[in-house]
Amino acid sequence: MPDLSHLWQRFVLALTLIFGLALGVGATVFAYSNTTQVSLGWSIFHVSSVPLWTVALVPIALILTVGTLFHWFNSLHHFTEHMRHRRRVHDLEVELATVRKHLDATLQMPGQSAASAPEAEPEPEPEPEPEPVPAPAAEATEPASSNGEARPEIVAAAETETAVPSES
């Protein structure tokens, strides 16, 4: 399935533009339709001869402005966190490369550091001598364990062989 995230983002941006234009046209029509002068009073603050459209549109404009500023500051925080994580990933990649180079040099193994460091002649390892095969034992005297538990028949046989008779 194709990745349509960029198309979705463009669609949302186009819808935002259309919504903003519709809001602007509506505000303009509202302002030209309501030109009546009103008086505003709040506590000791009094303003007279204010057009009616400013009573409705100025608070909406202030709310939209504050919301936009809040969104920008929130996006700025996410952007700085993204850049900090990106820088940390870069630092960790550099550290991983140096650790791999050091490990390859320590273990004398060819790796990514082979191009930068001259290769040392590997010493041929001596062939191991074949070990003699032991003869099979008739019965094991020590208890053998299976998954961390002793088998009861071998434990009983081992106990009878190692039991010391008591003198009475």
Side-chain angles (χ1 to χ4, degrees):
M1 179 168 200
D3 183 24
L4 300 176
S5 63
H6 68 284
L7 292 176
W8 178 251
Q9 185 179 15
R10 286 185 180 181
F11 175 71
V12 169
L13 286 174
L15 281 180
T16 305
L17 177 67
I18 291 171
F19 177 73
L21 289 174
L23 187 67
V25 168
T28 304
V29 169
F30 180 80
Y32 279 110
S33 299
N34 296 295
T35 58
T36 305
Q37 302 291 320
V38 294
S39 294
L40 297 177
W42 186 62
S43 185
I44 60 170
F45 180 71
H46 297 284
V47 178
S48 60
S49 300
V50 176
L52 182 61
W53 63 269
T54 59
V55 175
L57 295 183
V58 169
I60 291 174
L62 286 175
I63 289 171
L64 288 175
T65 304
V66 169
T68 301
L69 290 175
F70 177 77
H71 177 71
W72 283 347
F73 285 127
N74 193 25
S75 297
L76 180 65
H77 168 73
H78 287 293
F79 176 73
T80 56
E81 284 295 310
H82 167 72
M83 293 306 289
R84 187 176 64 84
H85 289 148
R86 188 173 172 184
R87 178 68 183 170
R88 180 71 177 142
V89 166
H90 175 72
D91 292 344
L92 290 173
E93 286 173 346
V94 168
E95 182 180 349
L96 178 62
T98 58
V99 167
R100 281 185 176 166
K101 182 178 178 182
H102 177 71
L103 185 62
D104 288 344
T106 301
L107 297 177
Q108 296 179 351
M109 295 178 65
Q112 294 179 353
S113 63
S116 62
E119 289 188 27
E121 292 282 330
E123 296 180 14
E125 295 182 16
E127 294 184 17
E129 297 180 14
E131 296 181 17
V133 178
E139 186 78 27
T141 57
E142 295 181 17
S145 62
S146 171
N147 293 332
E149 298 177 3
R151 293 184 14 205
E153 63 272 3
I154 296 178
V155 170
E159 289 176 356
T160 58
E161 290 177 3
T162 59
V164 177
S166 60
E167 294 181 20
S168 344

